[in-house]
């Protein structure tokens, strides 16, 4: 740049108004000059032109018979077109047509060293305009969809369908008019075709890899043309969204589908998964967006045929698809954003980067998607999206492998993830995100393996604390610390961490899920239900969230609703043991004892098959009992009158051997109706700092103690707050 030269403005997304004079080439030279001068004066006198120019937010591209105005604000080209159309009513000698489109625009320098404008935004706006006759204001379908969100513009927008232009390309056009501006007649180009070209018939969707943004330099204008290719047209889904369904789906909502791994080495699948998750994680930090969690998108392949149906199932308006190819230190990522409800292609790009640029790549993609969705991004959110958590590429690869195995939620997968997270930390001891992953893995390990909680929870807490020492703005670390404090510190300090984490990442479904459990143990049932509903909205196909959705209803004794949700979870995954555990307890509460017994036996069978239960006293079944209950009524009815008396002897013996806790002994005394002994053993559990005392308020075996002041005092001591027991 020459010293003193003003930096050029560069646009990634712009809103373009293209204008020209119909029949200009047939005019005499003197008439051409006169008409162009008239049009220039009319345009320059509009309020939108003057305002944008004074703010430095306007670019102009003059052409022989008109020109293009490039604005930064969505409504500016429409407002400007309306002003121009009203002014033209006094100039019948000026037959003008206009075209509007929103798209990518670059400011370039032509061969004469003059500033010029180029890009798909310009090209498509011109083609849209070329479809019209004098008086027409035509709008691209994409721009019209954005304008439809503003109630004042809806009456102006009249969809006239698709028309074929050169090279077989189709444009979907909307005519903009009312009683004062625009031309309501069907453009002659559409009339010549007798009818608008219909939308493409249902065909198999097969998004592959290539062709997203190819820059070509043209000799005179140095025009950059963005060519967006798709190997096959998108399929129209079998089930179209009804207006009612569309109305319930937020416009600023998106799901990032699994990226296709195009690398010949299938062991690199973790990298494709990692790119998808990192893009999703960055988008999730934007409060203005609804972003679906990865666990709910995993079941879909990239580029599915029934995109509209999938979008409705996930509750989103937009879908991101992509593919990843990794070769040595080089990475190619193809990505595209689609409006799934209309099957409209909004944006696509190909990125060729090095592994060391992975974070910048993920940031660029996330920002491009957010920009196309017109999401409001705060300064803090922008910083979070742009953050590079490590400069060590190898550490990042190890972290991605850790998350890949953590998402498997199996005993072996979690242990493997712990190994990878630990290796990442060895490579970069300041890698806060790796510490957060390590905390998550240790925290949930007892629920999926025979690892005792007292062994895992301190490790989880130490890792979460270290992560926050390194980066206090890391949402994952705040949620990890909150969760381990719930299970390991009687919830002390958990709420502040939950709130901080969810403020930093409002789309973190697991955070809402774990916060719901905290709210339940503190007696705030309605808040707990709302948080779990939010978790399901963000992760609609998570089996654990769908199971735990019934838990706050169980705790608040709304058993019919609890049974409804638990049964749905069992139908979703008949092999998920905790769903059967939860359903068994709900049946127990309503007197369906045989069904309760059968579901409980099924749960134990499945848990043992998955090595998630140690009947000699491991923590996995104990955690499930803490969140549901001990099946006390069915055991008495089917196991016999002496069942719980026999359990008292065996549980007391296990406590003497150090294989179970004082809380477990207190539970049996409470079921037997011996309140004095139950209180005494709970006090002993308090002295021994038993983690599971935090669940006192929701465990059904202690219901009869809720009226005892000693029990209330103990609960208050445990939770460090006054708790109203669930009635």
């Amino acid at each position: 740049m020459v010293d003193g030269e003003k930096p050029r403005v560069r646009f990634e997304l712009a809103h373009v108004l293209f204008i020209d004079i119909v029949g200009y080439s047939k005019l005499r030279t003197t008439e051409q000059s006169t008409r162009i001068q008239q049009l220039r004066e009319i345009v320059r006198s509009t309020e939108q032109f003057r305002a944008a120019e004074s703010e430095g937010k306007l670019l102009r591209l003059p052409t022989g018979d008109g020109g293009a105005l490039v604005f930064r604000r969505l409504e500016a080209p429409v407002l400007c077109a309306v002003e121009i159309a009203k002014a033209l009513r006094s100039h019948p000698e000026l037959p003008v047509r206009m075209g509007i489109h929103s798209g990518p625009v670059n400011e370039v320098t032509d061969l004469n060293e003059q500033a010029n404008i180029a890009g798909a935004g310009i090209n498509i706006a011109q083609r849209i305009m070329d479809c019209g006759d004098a008086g027409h204001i035509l709008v691209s379908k994409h721009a019209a969809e954005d304008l439809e969100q503003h109630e004042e513009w809806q009456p102006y927008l009249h969809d006239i369908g698709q028309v074929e232009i050169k090279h077989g390309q189709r444009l979907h056009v909307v005519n903009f008019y009312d009683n004062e501006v625009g031309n309501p007649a069907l453009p002659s180009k559409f009339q010549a075709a007798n009818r608008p070209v219909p939308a493409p018939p249902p065909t198999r969707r097969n998004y592959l890899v290539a062709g997203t943004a190819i820059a070509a330099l043209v000799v005179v204008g140095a025009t950059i043309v963005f060519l967006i290719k798709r190997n096959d047209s998108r399929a129209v889904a079998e089930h179209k969204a009804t207006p009612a369904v569309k109305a319930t789906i937020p416009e600023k909502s998106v799901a990032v589908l699994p990226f296709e791994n195009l690398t010949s080495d299938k062991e690199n699948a973790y990298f494709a998964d990692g790119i998808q998750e990192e893009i999703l994680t960055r988008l999730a930090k934007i409060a203005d967006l609804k972003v679906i969690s990865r666990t709910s998108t995993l079941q879909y392949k990239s580029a599915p045929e029934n995109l509209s149906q999938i979008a409705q199932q996930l509750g989103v308006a937009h879908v991101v698809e992509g593919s990843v190819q990794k070769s040595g230190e080089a990475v190619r990522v193809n990505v595209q954003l689609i409006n799934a409800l209309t099957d409209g292609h909004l944006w696509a790009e190909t990125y060729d980067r090095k592994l060391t640029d992975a974070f910048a790549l993920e940031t660029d993609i996330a920002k491009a998607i957010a920009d196309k969705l017109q999401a409001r991004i705060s300064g803090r959110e922008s910083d979070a999206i742009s953050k590079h958590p490590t400069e060590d590429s190898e550490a990042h690869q190890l972290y991605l492998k850790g998350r890949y195995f953590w998402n498997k939620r199996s005993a072996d997968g979690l242990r493997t993830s712990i190994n990878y997270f630990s290796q990442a930390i060895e490579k970069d001891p300041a890698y806060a995100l790796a510490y957060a992953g390590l905390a998550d893995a240790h925290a949930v390990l007892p629920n999926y393996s025979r690892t005792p909680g007292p062994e895992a929870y301190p490790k989880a807490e130490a890792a979460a604390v270290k992560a926050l020492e390194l980066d206090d703005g890391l949402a994952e670390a705040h949620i990890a610390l909150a969760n381990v404090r719930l299970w390991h510190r009687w919830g002390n300090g958990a709420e502040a961490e939950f709130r901080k984490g969810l403020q930093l990442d409002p789309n973190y479904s697991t955070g809402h899920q774990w916060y719901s459990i905290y709210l339940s143990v503190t007696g705030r049932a309605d808040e707990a239900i709302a948080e779990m509903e939010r978790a399901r909205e963000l992760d609609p196909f998570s089996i654990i969230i769908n199971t735990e959705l019934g838990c706050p209803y169980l705790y608040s004794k709304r058993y019919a609703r609890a049974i409804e949700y638990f049964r749905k979870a069992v139908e979703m995954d008949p092999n998920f043991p905790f769903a059967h555990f939860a359903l068994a307890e709900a049946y127990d509460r309503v007197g369906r004892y045989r069904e309760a017994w059968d579901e409980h036996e099924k749960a134990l069978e499945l848990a043992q098959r998955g090595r998630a239960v140690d009947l000699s006293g491991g923590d996995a079944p104990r955690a499930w009992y803490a969140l549901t209950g001990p099946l006390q009524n069915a055991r008495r009815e089917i196991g016999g009158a002496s069942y719980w008396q026999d359990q008292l002897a065996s549980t007391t013996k296990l406590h003497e051997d150090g294989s179970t806790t004082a809380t477990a002994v207190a539970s049996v005394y409470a079921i037997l109706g011996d309140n004095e002994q139950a209180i005494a053993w709970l006090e002993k559990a308090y002295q021994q700092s038993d983690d599971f005392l935090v669940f006192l308020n929701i465990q059904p075996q202690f219901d009869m103690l809720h009226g005892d002041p000693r029990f209330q005092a103990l609960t208050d001591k445990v939770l460090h707050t006054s708790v109203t027991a669930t009635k």
Side-chain angles (χ1 to χ4, degrees):
M1 180 183 294
V2 179
D3 290 343
E5 182 181 352
K6 184 179 179 181
R8 295 187 179 95
V9 179
R10 297 185 180 274
F11 289 85
E12 291 183 359
L13 174 71
H15 309 286
V16 182
L17 171 62
F18 216 107
I19 314 165
D20 82 356
I21 300 171
V22 178
Y24 176 84
S25 61
K26 297 178 182 179
L27 298 174
R28 298 186 183 91
T29 303
T30 54
E31 289 180 312
Q32 288 179 345
S33 299
T34 301
R35 298 290 181 262
I36 280 294
Q37 182 60 31
Q38 285 179 302
L39 180 58
R40 184 181 298 117
E41 291 175 357
I42 289 172
V43 171
R44 293 184 64 86
S45 67
T46 63
E47 181 179 344
Q48 292 302 312
F49 182 98
R50 294 197 306 270
E53 187 176 47
S54 66
E55 294 174 8
K57 296 180 179 180
L58 179 71
L59 289 179
R60 289 171 283 167
L61 175 63
T63 62
D65 54 354
L69 302 178
V70 182
F71 298 88
R72 286 184 175 178
R73 194 164 62 89
L74 169 66
E75 295 180 272
V78 178
L79 290 167
C80 190
V82 169
E83 292 182 69
I84 292 169
K86 289 180 177 179
L88 287 171
R89 287 184 298 191
S90 302
H91 296 275
E93 74 281 6
L94 270 178
V96 170
R97 59 183 178 175
M98 292 178 271
I100 296 172
H101 176 65
S102 297
V105 168
N106 281 32
E107 187 179 1
V108 298
T109 303
D110 63 24
L111 295 181
N112 295 318
E113 298 298 322
Q114 297 297 313
N116 208 333
I117 313 166
I122 293 288
N123 299 329
I124 296 177
Q126 183 173 17
R127 291 170 187 168
I128 290 289
M129 179 198 69
D130 287 342
C131 293
D133 306 318
H136 276 126
I137 304 172
L138 301 183
V139 183
S140 70
K141 178 63 174 175
H142 168 56
E145 287 172 349
D146 291 336
L147 291 170
E148 283 175 350
Q149 306 306 311
H150 301 267
E151 187 175 348
E152 64 180 297
W153 298 123
Q154 292 174 5
Y156 290 80
L157 299 170
H158 308 273
D159 195 330
I160 54 177
Q162 296 188 14
V163 66
E164 186 170 317
I165 58 175
K166 60 182 180 180
H167 307 308
Q169 183 181 359
R170 288 173 174 153
L171 290 177
H172 198 144
V173 181
V174 175
N175 194 2
F176 183 97
Y177 66 85
D178 71 349
N179 294 330
E180 295 187 352
V181 298
N183 180 353
L186 187 68
S188 57
K189 186 165 287 190
F190 283 77
Q191 295 176 17
N194 295 322
R195 59 183 177 84
V197 177
T203 58
R204 179 174 176 79
R205 167 188 295 271
N206 187 21
Y207 170 72
L208 293 178
V209 189
T212 45
I214 304 173
L217 184 64
V218 180
V219 175
V220 178
T223 304
I224 297 174
V225 181
F226 290 88
L227 300 176
I228 307 297
K229 290 186 178 180
R230 300 169 68 191
N231 289 355
D232 289 308
S233 60
R234 295 201 159 272
V236 177
E238 294 179 8
H239 303 285
K240 286 292 186 181
T242 63
V245 172
K246 288 184 179 180
T248 64
I249 296 178
E251 176 63 23
K252 297 179 184 180
S253 56
V254 65
V256 183
L257 296 187
F259 278 28
E260 185 178 3
N261 176 33
L262 299 179
T263 307
S264 57
D265 184 358
K266 297 307 176 185
E267 290 186 3
N268 282 324
Y270 80 90
F271 189 74
D273 286 356
I275 291 290
Q276 176 215 7
E277 183 166 359
E278 290 291 298
I279 292 169
L280 185 155
T281 299
R282 281 165 166 73
L283 289 172
K285 298 182 186 303
I286 302 174
D288 198 33
L289 290 179
K290 172 188 173 183
V291 182
I292 298 300
S293 294
R294 184 173 181 272
T295 48
S296 281
T297 62
L298 276 177
Q299 63 181 299
Y300 302 113
K301 64 179 181 179
S302 188
E305 294 184 359
N306 53 339
L307 187 66
S308 179
Q309 184 178 1
I310 289 171
Q312 291 181 51
Q313 292 170 350
L314 293 172
V316 295
H318 301 91
V319 168
V320 174
E321 296 177 345
S323 64
V324 177
Q325 190 167 7
K326 179 175 175 285
S327 178
E329 295 299 307
V331 179
R332 167 168 288 183
V333 177
N334 296 283
V335 61
Q336 64 174 353
L337 175 67
I338 304 105
N339 184 321
L341 302 182
T342 65
D343 205 41
H345 181 284
L346 302 182
W347 168 80
E349 185 62 274
T350 296
Y351 297 86
D352 289 302
R353 300 286 178 85
K354 293 186 179 299
L355 277 177
T356 51
D357 296 329
F359 291 124
L361 165 66
E362 293 150 2
T363 296
D364 289 348
I365 294 173
K367 285 188 172 180
I369 293 168
D371 186 44
K372 295 303 293 184
L373 297 179
Q374 298 183 9
R376 296 186 302 274
I377 304 177
S378 68
R380 177 182 58 77
E381 291 169 344
S382 180
D383 292 342
I385 294 171
S386 304
K387 185 175 293 183
H388 292 192
T390 181
E391 299 301 326
D392 190 313
S393 176
E394 190 174 351
H396 183 51
Q397 301 305 304
L398 291 165
Y399 169 78
L400 292 181
K401 290 179 180 179
R403 279 298 179 192
Y404 177 79
F405 284 100
W406 185 79
N407 280 314
K408 291 182 179 295
R409 289 299 204 282
S410 65
D412 290 341
L414 288 168
R415 291 192 181 97
T416 302
S417 76
I418 288 171
N419 181 43
Y420 279 122
F421 289 137
S422 299
Q423 289 184 56
I425 291 167
E426 288 177 10
K427 292 289 181 183
D428 182 0
Y431 196 176
L433 201 56
Y435 280 104
L438 189 63
D440 283 340
H442 280 302
V444 301
L445 186 60
N447 293 342
Y448 294 91
S449 72
R450 298 174 181 177
T451 304
E455 176 185 322
Y457 297 144
K459 295 177 182 177
E461 184 175 33
V465 169
K466 181 63 176 179
L468 289 174
E469 287 177 359
L470 294 168
D471 184 358
D472 187 59
L474 193 60
E476 294 90 334
H478 284 284
I479 296 297
L481 182 58
N483 183 52
V484 75
R485 282 183 172 174
L486 171 62
W487 288 84
H488 183 52
R489 296 289 180 184
W490 295 338
N492 187 20
E495 180 155 24
E497 296 297 332
F498 276 127
R499 288 183 176 275
K500 178 67 171 177
L502 291 173
Q503 179 186 16
L504 292 169
D505 187 348
N507 288 290
Y508 192 12
S509 61
T510 301
H512 290 283
Q513 171 201 350
W514 291 344
Y515 186 32
S516 174
I517 297 174
Y518 171 82
L519 292 168
S520 288
V521 301
T522 55
R524 294 147 67 180
D526 290 340
E527 292 177 73
I529 289 171
E531 285 297 317
M532 199 67 78
E533 289 280 7
R534 177 60 176 163
R536 184 180 63 164
E537 180 185 351
L538 294 169
D539 202 350
F541 297 123
S542 164
I543 181 59
I544 183 60
I545 288 175
N546 275 274
T547 300
E548 290 189 3
L549 184 60
C551 286
Y553 291 101
L554 181 71
Y555 307 146
S556 56
K557 297 179 171 51
R558 287 174 262 189
Y559 299 130
R561 182 61 64 85
I563 289 171
E564 174 189 346
Y565 285 131
F566 293 147
R567 289 182 65 176
K568 286 180 178 178
V570 168
E571 291 171 4
M572 178 182 289
D573 185 354
N575 295 316
F576 186 57
F578 183 57
H580 292 277
F581 259 102
L583 182 58
E585 185 59 33
Y587 281 155
D588 185 80
R589 307 276 187 100
V590 297
R592 297 166 65 172
Y593 302 133
R594 173 49 63 184
E595 292 169 279
W597 186 279
D598 291 345
E599 289 292 336
H600 190 271
E601 292 300 303
K602 179 68 173 178
L604 282 177
E605 175 194 342
L606 292 169
Q608 287 178 290
R609 189 188 307 168
R611 293 182 297 158
V613 162
D614 181 355
L615 295 179
S616 67
D619 272 23
R622 189 164 170 245
W624 294 339
Y625 285 131
L627 292 176
T628 57
L631 211 70
Q632 63 190 70
N633 301 310
R635 291 190 185 280
R636 182 185 293 113
E637 289 295 319
I638 297 174
S642 64
Y643 177 87
W644 285 111
Q645 198 64 49
D646 296 340
Q647 281 295 112
L648 179 61
S650 62
T651 305
T652 303
K653 179 65 168 61
L654 286 171
H655 179 264
E656 292 172 357
D657 295 340
S659 299
T660 194
T661 64
T663 306
V665 180
S667 294
V668 181
Y669 273 118
I671 291 170
L672 291 171
D674 191 336
N675 291 0
E676 292 299 319
Q677 284 293 333
I679 293 289
W681 277 91
L682 286 175
E683 288 289 353
K684 185 178 293 188
Y686 180 80
Q687 296 302 321
Q688 295 172 354
S689 300
D690 181 6
D691 291 329
F692 285 86
L693 283 178
V694 72
F695 300 107
L696 280 178
N697 200 47
I698 61 174
Q699 292 178 314
Q701 64 268 35
F702 298 119
D703 279 356
M704 296 302 293
L705 296 177
H706 283 177
D708 191 314
R710 295 171 297 175
F711 179 81
Q712 187 65 48
L714 175 64
T715 308
D716 289 348
K717 280 196 299 183
V718 168
L719 297 174
H720 303 280
T721 184
S722 178
V723 176
T724 302
T726 302
K727 299 300 182 184

